[in-house]
Amino acid sequence: MPGRKREYDEDDVRIRPGRSSRPRTRTRPKHSDAADALVVTVDRGRYGCVLSAAATAKDPADGLVTAMRARELGRRSVVVGDRVALVGDVSGASGALARIVRVGERTSVLRRTADDDDTTPEGRLERVVVANADQMVIVSALADPPPRTGFVDRCLVAAYDADVEPLLCLTKADLAGPAAVLGYYAELDLPYVLVGPGSDLSELGRHLSGRMSVLVGHSGVGKSTLVNRLVPDAVRAVGEVSAVGKGRHTSTSAVALRLPRHGRGRRDPGWIIDTPGIRSFGLAHVGAESLLHGFPDLVEGTVDCPANCGHTAGDVDCALDAWVVAGKADPRRLASFRRLLASRAGELDPRTDAAGHP
């Protein structure tokens, strides 16, 4: 009838779906056209990358691209040595910025902590030094400063734990002989090279050729001098790869440098990753039993240890003491191993060397 009010039912009610009820797709772009690259420097959220297609270029700075992380990576870390996939502007032109959309599976991860004790904030904070290294070159001076075998022992533990081959590089060979240091590591069959001012670096070059090598050492041991000899234009190259729009020299972070190619050979000359001088190499991320990886000369001696032996000086039935008495290992090596155990338990300053000196 005219004038009669219309009656409404539920079919007339329209309900707008809430935002939280809208289905969200988990589909992510495949980025099949992404360019492969190597991360050579990290600086304040910007990553210097060298395109794989340019990795063998004559100029180390050729193919250098500045990139940032894509949101889809989430909290996945990106460090020097990572092999990544880039999209966006990969021209390397000034002001250009690409995005890292994938991080390749790592073949090795070298980590360290600021402390040995995992109950402290410093010990719980793991830092990835580099990824995908094949070799750790432990740079130690024979004099001025004197060799610190305690630090070398720590590096060996970290290298074996990361499944990275160690190489001992003894610098300043013109100031002292290597007999004492080499005698300390006699049971390990540890490869080494001697370097002095103006000495031939061909032997070291053979160890580095075709590999990704990370150089680790204290300040003052001659590591920077060695890098400049291996890569004559290292100062310029570091400036290129660490600029990332700011032009700052990356003196406090790792940087990867491609070794120069010699002759007309097509063989990969390899890369070196220069790291800043560090005072200590915390091992809180390495389990107590895994510490033995850095002391292969002691491993066989633990076979006769009782179950749950802590291998400390307080474990009276520890078979390592008899192993050393029998002349099968250097007593200084056992002392260094037990010093690391004590440091992990918070009983010793992790910055002391094998002799207990800071």
Side-chain angles (χ1 to χ4, degrees), residues 26-259:
R26 292 183 178 273
T27 303
R28 295 289 184 267
K30 295 182 178 180
H31 299 299
S32 57
D33 59 342
D36 294 330
L38 171 72
V39 178
V40 295
T41 190
V42 179
D43 187 8
R44 294 170 292 185
R46 293 293 184 267
Y47 303 86
C49 306
V50 172
L51 296 176
S52 296
T56 57
K58 182 177 180 180
D59 190 330
D62 285 350
L64 183 67
V65 176
T66 301
M68 61 182 296
R69 289 159 42 92
R71 291 183 61 183
E72 59 204 75
L73 288 182
R75 296 185 178 182
R76 175 74 183 271
S77 65
V78 180
V79 300
V80 171
D82 268 327
R83 296 178 177 88
V84 298
L86 304 178
V87 299
D89 192 340
V90 296
S91 65
S94 177
L97 188 63
R99 288 185 299 127
I100 298 175
V101 292
R102 284 194 302 272
V103 179
E105 184 177 353
R106 294 167 174 170
T107 58
S108 68
V109 180
L110 181 63
R111 298 181 174 90
R112 76 178 183 95
T113 58
D115 192 4
D116 284 343
D117 188 355
D118 58 10
T119 64
T120 65
E122 293 82 3
R124 287 192 295 268
L125 182 61
E126 288 186 21
R127 178 183 177 185
V128 177
V129 181
V130 296
N132 299 316
D134 305 308
Q135 180 173 238
M136 177 195 285
V137 181
I138 306 168
V139 184
S140 176
L142 288 170
D144 191 28
R148 296 178 58 179
T149 54
F151 176 79
V152 176
D153 287 344
R154 289 174 173 276
C155 292
L156 289 174
V157 170
Y160 291 134
D161 183 69
D163 198 22
V164 174
E165 294 183 19
L167 172 67
L168 183 58
C169 180
L170 299 173
T171 62
K172 305 186 182 181
D174 58 315
L175 301 180
V181 176
L182 298 181
Y184 179 77
Y185 293 107
E187 302 297 327
L188 270 66
D189 194 25
L190 179 64
Y192 71 93
V193 293
L194 297 178
V195 176
S199 62
D200 184 11
L201 297 182
S202 58
E203 183 180 0
L204 176 59
R206 286 192 293 270
H207 284 279
L208 302 177
S209 179
R211 313 186 78 179
M212 178 76 73
S213 303
V214 54
L215 275 63
V216 178
H218 280 294
S219 297
V221 298
K223 185 165 58 64
S224 296
T225 301
L226 184 62
V227 169
N228 287 327
R229 290 187 61 191
L230 289 169
V231 186
D233 58 351
V235 174
R236 184 192 63 79
V238 170
E240 292 282 353
V241 301
S242 65
V244 207
K246 296 294 183 179
R248 186 182 68 162
H249 188 289
T250 320
S251 59
T252 58
S253 60
V255 58
L257 299 167
R258 190 175 64 80
L259 292 167

